[in-house]
């Protein structure tokens, strides 16, 4: 899940960065305000994409998604882009969690199979002990 979320955040960096010239040229927004608002969000998205292995960064990225959606109302046409990226984010989280659950179940099944085969092959306690110690590594 974290890899998918990091990739989505990297693509958002590009899109958020492109909001700056659009806001200046089409909406007449002050360059300092546009650069500060969306430039800061782009920098935050870049940093958060690298920190997705931490739970706090993942929750901070949810806050960034909300900020991205709300600030998109300042630029005409940007709401559609923001909705698409927030939808990608939600879909990435849902599908990533499902994938992580399937991976964990498959790994547990493989470890149980290996332990069962080791127990059947050896028949003595030493082989079972070594198989269980191999599982903890």
């Amino acid at each position: 899940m974290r890899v998918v979320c990091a990739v989505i955040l990297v693509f958002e960096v590009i899109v958020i960065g492109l909001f700056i010239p659009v806001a200046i040229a089409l909406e007449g927004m002050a360059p300092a305000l546009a650069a500060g608002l969306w430039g800061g969000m782009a920098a935050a998205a870049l940093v958060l994409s690298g920190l997705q292995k931490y739970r706090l960064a993942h929750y901070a990225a949810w806050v960034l998604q909300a900020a991205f959606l709300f600030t998109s109302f300042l630029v005409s046409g940007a709401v559609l882009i923001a909705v698409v990226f927030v939808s990608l984010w939600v879909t990435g989280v849902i599908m990533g969690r499902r994938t992580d659950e399937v991976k964990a179940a498959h790994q547990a099944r493989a470890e149980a199979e290996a332990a069962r085969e080791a127990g059947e092959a050896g028949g003595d306690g030493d082989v079972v002990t070594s198989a269980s110690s191999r599982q903890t590594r």
Side-chain angles (χ1 to χ4, degrees), residues 65-90:
Q65 298 303 316
F68 180 42
L69 185 61
F70 290 129
T71 59
S72 68
F73 287 102
L74 299 174
V75 178
S76 59
V79 174
L80 177 64
I81 296 170
V83 167
V84 167
F85 272 96
V86 170
S87 299
L88 282 172
W89 177 262
V90 171

Side-chain angles (χ1 to χ4, degrees), residues 2 5 7 12 16 19 24 33 40 44 52 54 65 71 75 83 87 102 108 114 117-118 125 127-128 134:
R2 308 288 184 189
C5 292
V7 170
E12 279 187 23
I16 293 171
F19 276 15
I24 294 169
L33 177 63
Q52 280 301 294
Y54 301 108
Q65 298 303 316
T71 59
V75 178
V83 167
S87 299
V102 168
E117 287 177 4
V127 175
V128 173
R134 189 172 58 238

Side-chain angles (χ1 to χ4, degrees), residues 112-124 126-132 134:
E113 174 104 5
R116 185 176 51 87
E117 287 177 4
E120 290 175 0
D124 60 345
D126 292 336
V127 175
V128 173
T129 304
S130 65
S132 66
R134 189 172 58 238

Side-chain angles (χ1 to χ4, degrees), residues 15-17 31 38 55 57 73-74 76 88 93 95 107 113 115 119 122 133 137:
V15 172
I16 293 171
W38 287 295
R55 184 178 299 236
F73 287 102
L74 299 174
S76 59
L88 282 172
V93 168
M95 297 306 288
Q107 184 177 3
E113 174 104 5
S133 65
R137 285 188 219 158

